[in-house]
Amino acid sequence: MLLECKNVTKKFDKKVVLDNINLKIEKGKIYGLLGKNGAGKSTLIKLINDLLTIDEGEILFNGKPIGIFSKSHISYLPERTYLDKDMKVESVIKYFEEFYEDFNTKKAYKLLKDLDLDKDKKISKMSKGMQEKLQLILVMSREAELYILDEPLGGVDPATRDYILDTILSNFKEGSSVIISTHLISDIERILDNVIFIDKGKIILTEDADKLREKEKSSIDEIFRRSFKC
Amino acid sequence: MEFNFNNESPIYIQLVETLMLAIVKEEYPIGSKLPSVRELALMAKVNPNTMQKALTELEEMGLIYTERTNGKYVTEDKKLIKETKDKLAKEIVNKYITSMNNIGFTKEETLFYLQTIGGK
């Protein structure tokens, strides 16, 4: 098992935001972490990336509790941009190269070339869509065991969405896994092996995507809408 | 070969159908080599695991075979491809007859329509 959450609970003050989460992530699969805004997706992702502390339970990566060791094998795309806007593309790549042992510089430049992105360009001079693409390239250029992408499709146009999905598909390394959190399900459901429904801090369902379609005779998007009708 | 999917039924079944058509239409001729799982997955914009599942299904049907380390090939069994084509034809004709029945045509009338306006 690549990643395992065991009875994980997280509270902010007294409010329970994740309630006894049990989750297993296998090697070589793409998971969709699907939930409405505020369901607890980003909190769970931050716990897995050791950016928040767990109140109860534990998270194991390759059988060991998460920490510095797991960070070097998990490539994480946060929901919000973290790049220094004054940096040029080239210096950002250098920064990643120094920071992450598993960073594949060749791959990053190849992906940048496909995008026609000038390496001397300042981040602040790039469009929002371009910045999102650059961040995805940086994250996918690591030869990680687990990629965690928090809302990679938020706020981008449909053409950029296609680019992002293609980049995820063509760059995730064989045997590694991907967790994609999103509420934009119809755009992404085709590439998922497994779906995880999360609502009000609880895991409602985990299932093989095709089995779920077969059982419910509908799309994941439709099943999600039915389950979480407001 | 074009991949057009709906999200309502399992993706791997739709992949099996699309690839089956490509084989009977000889877009991938008898005995020819198929693109790799990853290439096919990218063409269809699906997960390589899902594509693998579809290829395994086609392999079980005998329509393709794996040559160790060398990739996957279309079967050289002409008879099997012909049978698959016949099976698909049967399904399409039955669907057509049912649809015509549903709007009130008898089998004879349906045949008449097919002969007079078919192909136009």
Side-chain angles (χ1 to χ4, degrees), chain A residues 1-2 5 11 18 75 119 137 142 160 169 177 183-184 202 214 217:
Chain A
M1 199 59 57
L2 186 62
C5 298
K11 294 172 194 156
L18 288 176
S75 191
K119 64 180 166 54
I137 286 177
R142 286 184 56 193
T160 307
L169 272 183
S177 294
H183 59 272
L184 300 166
K202 287 188 171 142
E214 202 155 23
K217 306 267 178 273

Side-chain angles (χ1 to χ4, degrees), chain A:
Chain A
M1 199 59 57
L2 186 62
L3 183 86
E4 199 170 359
C5 298
K6 285 183 174 172
N7 308 106
V8 171
T9 294
K10 175 72 190 169
K11 294 172 194 156
F12 288 137
D13 293 325
K14 277 184 185 148
K15 195 176 182 287
V16 177
V17 285
L18 288 176
D19 188 2
N20 199 31
I21 299 286
N22 284 292
L23 188 63
K24 286 179 180 174
I25 302 294
E26 290 172 47
K27 279 184 186 163
K29 288 193 169 173
I30 303 182
Y31 291 81
L33 179 61
L34 314 175
K36 292 190 289 196
N37 293 324
K41 302 189 295 287
S42 290
T43 306
L44 179 59
I45 285 175
K46 282 178 187 152
L47 286 179
I48 295 171
N49 282 292
D50 203 22
L51 297 169
L52 291 172
T53 52
I54 303 168
D55 290 324
E56 285 164 45
E58 58 176 352
I59 302 179
L60 303 174
F61 183 75
N62 277 328
K64 286 180 225 158
I66 48 155
I68 295 169
F69 139 85
S70 59
K71 274 187 185 173
S72 60
H73 300 288
I74 300 177
S75 191
Y76 166 49
L77 178 75
E79 199 179 353
R80 282 185 192 81
T81 176
Y82 54 91
L83 297 174
D84 180 350
K85 304 250 173 174
D86 286 330
M87 280 171 111
K88 285 178 181 172
V89 174
E90 194 176 25
S91 33
V92 174
I93 289 188
K94 209 164 255 164
Y95 179 78
F96 261 72
E97 194 179 0
E98 279 166 22
F99 207 80
Y100 296 109
E101 251 179 59
D102 60 0
F103 190 73
N104 185 337
T105 311
K106 247 192 205 159
K107 189 167 161 185
Y109 274 115
K110 195 199 156 282
L111 289 168
L112 280 180
K113 210 178 147 208
D114 294 343
L115 262 187
D116 266 332
L117 194 57
D118 181 7
K119 64 180 166 54
D120 288 323
K121 198 160 187 165
K122 258 192 183 176
I123 306 227
S124 56
K125 293 275 185 323
M126 292 163 51
S127 68
K128 187 172 188 285
M130 219 29 144
Q131 290 184 25
E132 305 250 1
K133 286 179 192 168
L134 172 64
Q135 290 203 58
L136 184 74
I137 286 177
L138 293 167
V139 167
M140 295 312 293
S141 293
R142 286 184 56 193
E143 313 275 353
E145 288 183 53
L146 179 61
Y147 299 89
I148 303 182
L149 316 173
D150 196 0
E151 295 284 359
L153 306 177
V156 298
D157 57 82
T160 307
R161 263 178 220 177
D162 281 350
Y163 172 83
I164 289 174
L165 290 180
D166 273 359
T167 308
I168 295 171
L169 272 183
S170 47
N171 289 289
F172 100 96
K173 188 176 66 157
E174 221 158 307
S176 60
S177 294
V178 186
I179 301 175
I180 306 170
S181 101
T182 190
H183 59 272
L184 300 166
I185 301 170
S186 61
D187 288 314
I188 210 164
E189 64 169 90
R190 186 179 301 171
I191 74 165
L192 304 176
D193 283 300
N194 287 54
V195 296
I196 304 160
F197 282 5
I198 182 168
D199 191 42
K200 299 189 184 97
K202 287 188 171 142
I203 304 268
I204 306 297
L205 169 115
T206 52
E207 178 70 280
D208 177 286
D210 264 352
K211 275 191 192 140
L212 196 57
R213 286 187 192 100
E214 202 155 23
K215 203 157 68 185
E216 302 285 334
K217 306 267 178 273
S218 19
S219 64
I220 306 294
D221 187 49
E222 183 60 39
I223 298 163
F224 180 85
R225 282 166 203 259
R226 258 188 265 144
S227 315
F228 297 121
K229 221 169 184 174
C230 294

